[in-house]
Amino acid sequence: MTDSTDRSLAAQYEAFPYPARDAREEAKRLVVGSPSHLREVDHWVFGARRPASRPLAALMAGGGSGDGTVMLAQQMAWLGRPGRVTWLDRSASARRVAAARAAARGLDNVAFVEGSILDLPGAAPGPFDYIDCCGVLHHLPDPAAGLAALVSVLAPGGGIGLMVYAPHGRTGVYMLQDALRLLAPVEEAPPARVEIAKRLWKQLPETAWLRKNPWIDDHIRGGDAGLYDLLLNPRDVAFTVPQLAALVAGAGLRIACLVEPLRYDPDTWLADPRLRGRTAGLDPVARAALAEAICGNMGIHIAYCVRATDPVAAPPWEDDAAVPVLRELDGPALAKALRPDGMLPVTWDGLRAAVPVPRLAGAFLARIDGTRPWGEILDGVVTAGASREAALRDRAALVRAMEPLNRLLLAAPP
């Protein structure tokens, strides 16, 4: 599965572990994102049905400098969740960075294994309940073989979080990659290629498409590692939604969620009833493909996937014993910030939408703290003056509004 391009990739990530991270920064912040946020994994992969007391075996396949590894391990530690996160990557330089970050946080639930995902199951036999593969498949000689290797160590009932590049939001990137293949051939040493890329960026005319793309800035803010990964990467294949869906299906998986779901709903962007009449006839993949094509700003796709043969595990939103959580949001603060017109403004890479929330949204949000179950929250809203009928109606409406934002989720049961 290796070739000359693959060997160049290996040299790249030894020279420039990606993304650029400093373990001293761990005292100041936790890098949080998708996939592999523990709340998302509980909700989108396991349908908020897998007990929190059950140990979670997670694999970070192509763990790089450790963002996903550190995030998931730290969240498990904070919540007292049993289990272990296994970092797997062939870069010794990346391992040193990731291990230093875990050590800085005192995390003892991380194991480090140097190896390739193409060596699975030998490199890390598993099985793993959850597998993260973020920013890896699009660099492989055969992405399908890489995904198949991951599935080979996936535990029954488990799931995979993927991130791959998407073409439309990366407008300008591939043009400059073409230019740099001429100016800085892949055979040259990585530091020399970086120096040429920096010179080219300074000299680019204003008509260069990447100068007009405000959503891609790794070459500006990501240091030498970010610049190299974006513009000098020897193999970089982007996937449209249909191409990603086909890759996933070929591995015997299905997409359980594209993050964020509302962003992939074309009706979010198309108010015209005649257009909506046509979108209604499209299947889920086609609807997501339409949203991708008309928005033009999706530079990546993030998907949670499960086996195609597994039953759909819809989160039990109507269960009064279920505990709602707000992902990286403070309920009372959000309740106070709601607009009088009942619209919740959201923004994705410069694209704005307004999501309608029900009249009692503030009353519910103010009571969501990640520990209180729905039944207790509902009783509090009713005690404050709402009718039970109105409270039940608005609770369902709030879920319809905020679950597709990937912000209102259900916690794992005890």
Side-chain angles (χ1 to χ4, degrees):
M1 287 297 297
T2 61
D3 56 15
S4 61
T5 301
D6 196 58
R7 289 189 288 274
S8 297
L9 273 164
Q12 167 191 335
Y13 290 119
E14 284 298 336
F16 299 108
Y18 181 81
R21 295 289 184 246
D22 185 335
R24 291 171 293 185
E25 295 295 312
E26 298 305 313
K28 302 177 183 178
R29 56 92 182 96
L30 175 68
V31 177
V32 175
S34 303
S36 301
H37 191 292
L38 182 57
R39 295 301 196 186
E40 295 178 5
V41 174
D42 286 339
H43 186 90
W44 296 116
V45 173
F46 300 118
R49 297 174 187 273
R50 188 180 193 275
S53 58
R54 185 175 168 188
L56 179 70
L59 173 68
M60 295 291 164
S65 56
D67 280 3
T69 301
V70 171
M71 175 184 67
L72 182 56
Q74 182 65 82
Q75 290 172 339
M76 290 171 65
W78 279 339
L79 292 173
R81 299 281 289 272
R84 181 171 295 275
V85 180
T86 298
W87 175 100
L88 174 69
D89 201 294
R90 59 183 179 173
S91 170
S93 295
R95 175 177 180 165
R96 285 191 290 271
V97 176
R101 295 175 66 188
R105 291 181 169 273
L107 295 171
D108 60 2
N109 57 349
V110 182
F112 291 92
V113 178
E114 284 187 34
S116 168
I117 70 172
L118 299 176
D119 295 332
L120 293 170
F128 297 96
D129 306 301
Y130 174 71
I131 299 173
D132 169 291
C133 190
C134 185
V136 177
L137 294 181
H138 47 235
H139 295 316
L140 295 181
D142 185 347
L147 188 52
L150 299 181
V151 173
S152 75
V153 294
L154 181 65
I160 299 178
L162 299 176
M163 186 280 277
V164 296
Y165 293 148
H168 302 323
R170 287 168 68 81
T171 297
V173 170
Y174 298 107
M175 300 174 193
L176 283 194
Q177 286 186 4
D178 289 343
L180 285 166
R181 272 189 280 271
L182 298 172
L183 289 173
V186 70
E187 294 80 16
E188 293 185 2
R193 299 187 76 210
V194 166
E195 194 256 339
I196 293 299
K198 289 178 177 178
R199 289 175 177 271
L200 176 61
W201 178 250
K202 291 179 181 179
Q203 293 290 300
L204 279 180
E206 291 303 313
T207 52
W209 277 107
L210 191 56
R211 285 203 180 276
K212 301 175 182 295
N213 188 340
W215 309 297
I216 300 291
D217 62 2
D218 222 13
H219 55 305
I220 300 171
R221 302 180 186 275
D224 289 354
L227 182 147
Y228 204 109
D229 195 68
L230 183 73
L231 298 180
L232 294 165
N233 206 300
R235 180 157 41 224
D236 171 344
V237 179
F239 293 80
T240 62
V241 170
Q243 289 168 338
L244 174 59
L247 177 70
V248 166
L253 304 172
R254 61 177 170 83
I255 296 174
C257 170
L258 287 166
V259 178
E260 295 83 4
L262 194 69
R263 191 174 182 181
Y264 288 87
D265 181 354
D267 290 352
T268 303
W269 318 112
L270 303 176
D272 187 319
R274 292 190 65 182
L275 293 177
R276 286 192 172 189
R278 296 188 174 227
T279 65
L282 300 176
D283 63 50
V285 170
R287 289 177 63 84
L290 176 59
E292 173 187 21
I294 63 177
C295 291
N297 67 340
M298 296 181 187
I300 60 174
H301 294 309
I302 296 169
Y304 286 106
C305 307
V306 297
R307 284 191 173 88
T309 53
D310 286 351
V312 175
W317 281 112
E318 296 183 359
D319 182 358
D320 283 345
V323 176
V325 293
L326 289 165
R327 183 200 178 284
E328 308 306 317
L329 290 175
D330 177 78
L334 179 59
K336 291 179 181 179
L338 289 177
R339 294 186 345 194
D341 62 1
M343 303 299 288
L344 180 67
V346 294
T347 303
W348 291 289
D349 299 324
L351 191 59
R352 296 177 177 84
V355 178
V357 295
R359 182 179 63 85
L360 296 174
F364 278 103
L365 292 171
R367 291 169 168 82
I368 296 176
D369 60 5
T371 62
R372 280 189 276 193
W374 265 137
E376 181 181 335
I377 293 171
L378 185 73
D379 289 343
V381 173
V382 172
T383 300
S387 70
R388 183 161 291 272
E389 179 183 9
L392 286 169
R393 182 189 64 237
D394 281 15
R395 181 178 73 171
L398 182 64
V399 170
R400 289 194 300 271
M402 293 196 64
E403 184 190 30
L405 292 173
N406 193 37
R407 289 299 184 176
L408 180 60
L409 309 171
L410 287 182

